Amino acid sequence: MNRIQKFFTKIKGLLVHRFFQVLLFLILGLFAYVLMFSNVKPEKIQVELFKPAEQTIRSTKTVEDTYKTEQEKEEISKQVADVYTLKKEYAKNKVDLISSIFDSAIEVNKETDPERDKKEEGKEDKKEPIKTDAQKVSILKEKLTDEVNRNIEDSVFLALVQADEDELEIAKDSTITAVNNVMSSRIAASDVENAKKKVVEELGYMSINSDMKKASNSLARTAIIQNVFFDKDKTEEQRRKAIESVEPIRILQGQIIVEENQLVDRDVYRQLELAGFLSTESTIYPYIGLLLFILLTFGAFYYFFSFSISKRDNKYNQLLIFSLVFILSMATMKTVSVLADLKNSNLEYIFPGAMAAMLIKILLNDKLAVAMIILLGSYGTIIFNGDTPGNLDFSMGLYIIFGGLAAIIILSRPNFKSKVLIAGLLMSLINMAFVFSLIFIMDGHYTKMEYLYHAAAAIGSGVGSAVLTMGLLPFFEAGFGILSSMKLIELSNPNHPLLRKILIEAPGTYHHSVMVANLAESACEAIGSNGLLARVGSYYHDIGKTKRPHFFIENQMNEENPHDRLQPETSRDIIIAHAVDGGEMLRSHKFPKEIVDIAEQHHGTTLLKFFYYKAKKQDDTTVEACYRYPGPRAKMKEVAVIGIADSVEAAVRSMQHPTPEKIEELVSFIIQDRIQDGQFDECDITMRELSIVKHSLCESLNGIFHSRIEYPEPDKLGQKVKE
């Protein structure tokens, strides 16, 4: 074990204690806090009234500009027109008044009618008949109010009492109609005189005597008054609604208040004061906010690592890898951010954010990779805020998250784990498309060179992520003893010395191993296990047979079986030794632990039945335990599946004319035998998964041992050709 592995092993030993787990998260949180401290630290702005600004100043928060808001409200209030209300009851009142005057005149005329006096002669208490017009006018006035009498000329009363009843009825109807028509329209104070002229015009067509017409005109003019009045309450209500509709004028977060070298006038100075740049009081709220944000994120991760990962060794391995990738990514992010600020450009798009996702995806799992990229995207909104405190660059956060998720999806495709660079190139195209989508959404106006610059940065991010991932993977694999997909693919190379050793020294074993690899990989992928690990492990599972290849039947090419001449105990020791020898050979070549485990555990503690029964015939006292493999039993699902595939392949190969029914029966028997023998007791494989494994093995074997056309013998074939 190298020094790096020893160092990390010691740290993992410390992480067994909860105190050191909490301490690690505190260190990570402190590291993140230090990196982001400058991004939330309030700036001290030096500006003077009526002098040019030394730098471009953006608002760090969204605040309401109350002064401009009040100005806008006042302007809107002035634009609201006064509300005038039409008094409809005025028209009815005047119509009723005119009607009453005419009705009173008709009554007076009836009461003073000489003909009525004649009809009433001979009656007691007979009143003296009234004959003069003055007396009639006096009676008419008594029937009306003093106010009406003051507003109507005596000549009008005189004309009314002198007219007969028919004329009065005609005049009454015409006058009421004209007054009602005119008064129904809106008459302001300035329109009263015009309204009076209009009512006179409407009465000009009456067919009555001139005196009665003049009286009607006079009454109609008297009835026409202002019927529209200023409504203070409604006017105030309209102004209030208009004021309420005014949106507050705000200085938005990130908005430029003053450009560099722009004169700081009173309006700009007031906005700077509102945004808090002129305040001499120091605030601790940004620091508290950053602290809470970091506590929330790392609190969630602490909970996840403490309670969601059950395997202790795996937990501490994952925690250390996650921490190192986080530190590396955050340091890279801060470096790119500082360089972008110095260059005053959009260099931040070159940040290889997908590197963290790719490393965690390959070294650990998808779940932690997604968590890592979300964490980096969240912190990226702060680090890439252009050192403007309070600003959050959400577009950059989305860029990091989107790129990382795309990398995880790309690497999830078959065979892409071995093609990280190709994945990086695809990432470049995706990054470029995403950057342009952000630019177009924000309607940014850029030159052609700026577009090329953004495209180059996006491509650099994708390719850089892939290159860094490939460069860092060996260090993580060496330091943590991780069996990554890259390492597995390297071990599957047919030119590997041990694979060439099997091929040359034990060709039958090599062919058997390849067949087992095909069967085991399909079955493992069917139950969601690591198919690549199963394939590579199968290549090496019988490496121990290369010590004595001719003692294994698949390597005996038309040779006598040496076991026929050996005692069962000797044959037992030779056969059992291949598992132990295989483990030792793989360890000596520094193979990953998982491959060594497959070589040692693929037989578990199964019984060598052939030699056991042979020994039993010779000696009834033979103990079964002496003819079992030393184990240990399978600890991983992949080992369990390889063990089944190993037995199934050898058994089916020895069958005469295998059929699907025979194959299925054999596979079921082998799996049931191993279950009853307790070979899966230390493995977390389920009965449902074993059923899926059985189905997968049967499908693969049926494809290999399918029925073939029975070709005729060579002599008969030649005869048919001649014919």
Side-chain angles (χ1 to χ4, degrees):
M1 185 180 292
N2 57 37
R3 292 180 179 179
I4 298 176
Q5 284 181 315
K6 288 181 180 179
F7 173 73
F8 286 124
T9 302
K10 289 180 180 179
I11 295 179
K12 283 190 285 184
L14 293 174
L15 290 176
V16 173
H17 306 286
R18 188 173 296 275
F19 170 78
F20 288 101
Q21 295 176 25
V22 175
L23 181 62
L24 177 61
F25 277 99
L26 288 176
I27 292 171
L28 292 177
L30 180 62
F31 176 75
Y33 191 89
V34 170
L35 288 186
M36 293 186 283
F37 182 83
S38 62
N39 297 96
V40 300
K41 181 181 179 181
E43 287 185 289
K44 298 295 182 183
I45 305 297
Q46 299 294 330
V47 291
E48 293 184 36
L49 190 62
F50 301 124
K51 286 189 177 181
E54 296 179 358
Q55 65 185 91
T56 298
I57 303 174
R58 296 175 180 268
S59 177
T60 61
K61 56 186 176 181
T62 299
V63 293
E64 182 182 350
D65 191 336
T66 54
Y67 177 76
K68 284 194 174 181
T69 302
E70 289 302 321
Q71 277 189 329
E72 182 70 14
K73 288 180 179 179
E74 186 176 346
E75 186 66 27
I76 291 293
S77 178
K78 289 179 181 178
Q79 294 176 7
V80 175
D82 292 339
V83 178
Y84 288 85
T85 303
L86 173 65
K87 302 290 186 180
K88 295 182 178 180
E89 64 272 17
Y90 281 21
K92 184 176 183 306
N93 293 341
K94 291 301 181 180
V95 166
D96 291 343
L97 177 62
I98 297 299
S99 178
S100 299
I101 293 173
F102 276 102
D103 289 341
S104 298
I106 292 171
E107 289 179 5
V108 170
N109 286 345
K110 285 182 178 179
E111 291 174 359
T112 59
D113 186 5
E115 295 297 328
R116 184 178 67 84
D117 293 341
K118 290 180 181 180
K119 293 177 183 177
E120 292 181 352
E121 282 182 0
K123 292 184 179 180
E124 294 182 1
D125 299 329
K126 181 177 67 175
K127 294 182 179 179
E128 192 70 25
I130 301 171
K131 299 294 185 180
T132 65
D133 291 336
Q135 290 176 324
K136 291 181 180 180
V137 170
S138 177
I139 295 171
L140 178 58
K141 285 184 176 182
E142 289 178 359
K143 292 180 178 290
L144 303 173
T145 63
D146 293 339
E147 183 179 356
V148 173
N149 293 332
R150 285 196 299 271
N151 293 331
I152 298 176
E153 298 175 356
D154 289 342
S155 59
V156 174
F157 290 127
L158 183 60
L160 290 173
V161 298
Q162 289 178 346
D164 58 30
E165 187 174 345
D166 292 337
E167 286 181 329
L168 287 173
E169 290 290 347
I170 294 171
K172 172 186 174 183
D173 292 340
S174 299
T175 305
I176 288 174
T177 302
V179 169
N180 188 59
N181 290 339
V182 175
M183 285 293 292
S184 295
S185 59
R186 301 174 68 87
I187 303 173
S190 58
D191 297 330
V192 172
E193 192 59 37
N194 290 333
K196 290 183 177 183
K197 291 179 180 178
K198 184 177 180 181
V199 77
V200 170
E201 290 176 1
E202 289 197 17
L203 291 172
Y205 301 100
M206 287 192 303
S207 57
I208 53 177
N209 63 67
S210 59
D211 291 338
M212 191 65 241
K213 184 178 288 188
K214 288 179 180 179
S216 295
N217 289 341
S218 179
L219 287 173
R221 286 177 60 84
T222 303
I224 302 302
I225 59 173
Q226 177 185 352
N227 63 357
V228 174
F229 298 91
F230 172 71
D231 194 324
K232 182 179 179 182
D233 293 338
K234 288 188 177 181
T235 302
E236 291 297 326
E237 183 181 357
Q238 291 297 322
R239 287 176 181 168
R240 179 178 56 78
K241 288 181 179 179
I243 289 172
E244 288 176 353
S245 67
V246 175
E247 291 289 335
I249 297 175
R250 295 182 176 89
I251 302 171
L252 301 177
Q253 182 180 14
Q255 177 182 326
I256 295 176
I257 298 177
V258 60
E259 297 273 6
E260 185 179 357
N261 296 323
Q262 179 185 342
L263 184 69
V264 180
D265 56 19
R266 292 191 181 278
D267 188 52
V268 171
Y269 195 82
R270 179 182 52 76
Q271 291 183 26
L272 289 172
E273 188 175 13
L274 278 173
F277 287 106
L278 304 182
S279 176
T280 57
E281 297 179 2
S282 59
T283 177
I284 62 170
Y285 290 119
Y287 309 122
I288 295 175
L290 179 61
L291 178 62
L292 288 174
F293 183 56
I294 292 174
L295 287 175
L296 285 172
T297 52
F298 278 102
F301 279 105
Y302 175 76
Y303 177 84
F304 174 78
F305 279 104
S306 297
F307 302 103
S308 298
I309 303 176
S310 57
K311 295 182 180 179
R312 294 169 63 87
D313 292 338
N314 194 34
K315 177 194 298 187
Y316 307 136
N317 229 26
Q318 289 187 2
L319 181 55
L320 277 177
I321 293 172
F322 189 91
S323 302
L324 287 175
V325 174
F326 173 76
I327 291 172
L328 181 63
S329 300
M330 287 292 289
T332 306
M333 188 187 299
K334 186 63 178 180
T335 302
V336 173
S337 170
V338 172
L339 291 175
D341 291 337
L342 291 176
K343 297 286 185 179
N344 194 23
S345 63
N346 289 321
L347 186 66
E348 62 265 19
Y349 286 118
I350 205 171
F351 168 64
M355 173 196 69
M358 296 170 86
L359 282 172
I360 300 297
K361 161 72 178 176
I362 294 172
L363 295 171
L364 302 180
N365 55 54
D366 292 358
K367 189 186 300 184
L368 285 174
V370 172
M372 170 64 79
I373 206 64
I374 292 174
L375 182 65
L376 291 179
S378 302
Y379 287 173
T381 61
I382 299 174
I383 289 181
F384 289 112
N385 67 353
D387 277 341
T388 304
N391 278 353
L392 296 175
D393 191 346
F394 290 105
S395 61
M396 192 61 198
L398 285 174
Y399 175 74
I400 295 171
I401 293 173
F402 190 88
L405 293 177
I408 294 169
I409 294 170
I410 291 172
L411 289 180
S412 297
R413 294 184 59 191
N415 301 324
F416 259 79
K417 291 181 180 179
S418 62
K419 301 176 182 178
V420 175
L421 186 57
I422 296 176
L425 294 174
L426 284 176
M427 277 294 308
S428 300
L429 297 177
I430 294 171
N431 285 346
M432 188 164 56
F434 189 76
V435 168
F436 284 132
S437 70
L438 290 177
I439 292 173
F440 296 151
I441 288 172
M442 294 185 290
D443 196 20
H445 300 285
Y446 298 95
T447 63
K448 291 182 179 179
M449 286 303 299
E450 287 174 324
Y451 279 116
L452 289 174
Y453 181 84
H454 282 86
I459 293 172
S461 174
V463 175
S465 297
V467 171
L468 288 172
T469 299
M470 291 189 296
L472 291 170
L473 270 177
F475 293 100
F476 282 98
E477 290 172 354
F480 291 92
I482 293 175
L483 183 58
S484 67
S485 299
M486 300 282 289
K487 182 67 175 177
L488 286 172
I489 291 165
E490 179 186 338
L491 294 176
S492 67
N493 189 337
N495 291 319
H496 191 282
L498 287 187
L499 284 182
R500 291 186 62 82
K501 179 181 178 67
I502 302 173
L503 177 61
I504 294 170
E505 299 179 9
T509 299
Y510 181 84
H511 180 264
H512 163 70
S513 298
V514 171
M515 295 291 288
V516 172
N518 293 332
L519 296 173
E521 182 182 34
S522 299
C524 282
E525 288 181 350
I527 62 173
S529 293
N530 192 336
L532 183 58
L533 173 59
R535 170 171 284 279
V536 178
S538 298
Y539 287 158
Y540 295 94
H541 81 287
D542 277 342
I543 184 67
K545 291 182 179 180
T546 57
K547 278 198 171 184
R548 304 175 188 87
H550 297 293
F551 283 88
F552 298 91
I553 193 168
E554 68 266 21
N555 298 313
Q556 297 168 4
M557 306 298 180
N558 299 320
E559 300 175 4
E560 182 184 358
N561 189 345
H563 291 289
D564 294 339
R565 295 179 280 103
L566 298 176
Q567 290 296 317
E569 295 84 358
T570 306
S571 297
R572 173 201 65 191
D573 294 339
I574 293 172
I575 299 298
I576 287 177
H578 89 274
V580 178
D581 293 340
E584 291 176 355
M585 291 175 67
L586 293 172
R587 282 194 190 91
S588 66
H589 284 77
K590 300 188 184 306
F591 265 63
K593 183 178 180 297
E594 291 84 351
I595 304 297
V596 176
D597 288 343
I598 289 172
E600 291 181 336
Q601 299 173 14
H602 71 281
H603 282 296
T605 58
T606 55
L607 178 66
L608 285 168
K609 295 182 180 180
F610 178 82
F611 295 111
Y612 169 68
Y613 291 129
K614 183 178 180 181
K616 192 77 170 172
K617 287 181 181 180
Q618 297 177 5
D619 184 2
D620 290 340
T621 61
T622 302
V623 180
E624 180 183 297
C626 295
Y627 283 83
R628 285 187 176 272
Y629 281 92
R633 294 171 181 172
K635 299 289 192 298
M636 300 186 300
K637 292 180 182 179
E638 291 81 3
V639 180
V641 173
I642 290 172
I644 297 170
D646 182 39
S647 298
V648 165
E649 195 279 333
V652 173
R653 184 158 37 86
S654 64
M655 290 177 64
Q656 295 293 328
H657 305 293
T659 62
E661 293 77 15
K662 289 181 179 180
I663 290 173
E664 183 176 358
E665 184 179 352
L666 177 64
V667 174
S668 298
F669 172 78
I670 290 173
I671 292 175
Q672 287 299 323
D673 183 59
R674 291 211 167 205
I675 292 173
Q676 292 170 5
D677 199 25
Q679 296 303 314
F680 304 136
D681 289 355
E682 298 177 23
C683 178
D684 59 355
I685 195 166
T686 65
M687 294 299 294
R688 180 177 179 275
E689 288 171 335
L690 286 172
S691 176
I692 296 172
V693 168
K694 170 190 166 183
H695 179 72
S696 175
L697 291 174
C698 290
E699 279 191 344
S700 300
L701 289 167
N702 288 331
I704 296 170
F705 297 100
H706 60 274
S707 300
R708 292 175 172 83
I709 299 172
E710 187 172 344
Y711 291 98
E713 295 178 4
D715 293 342
K716 295 180 179 181
L717 181 63
Q719 185 178 356
K720 287 185 178 182
V721 171
K722 289 179 182 179
E723 291 175 357

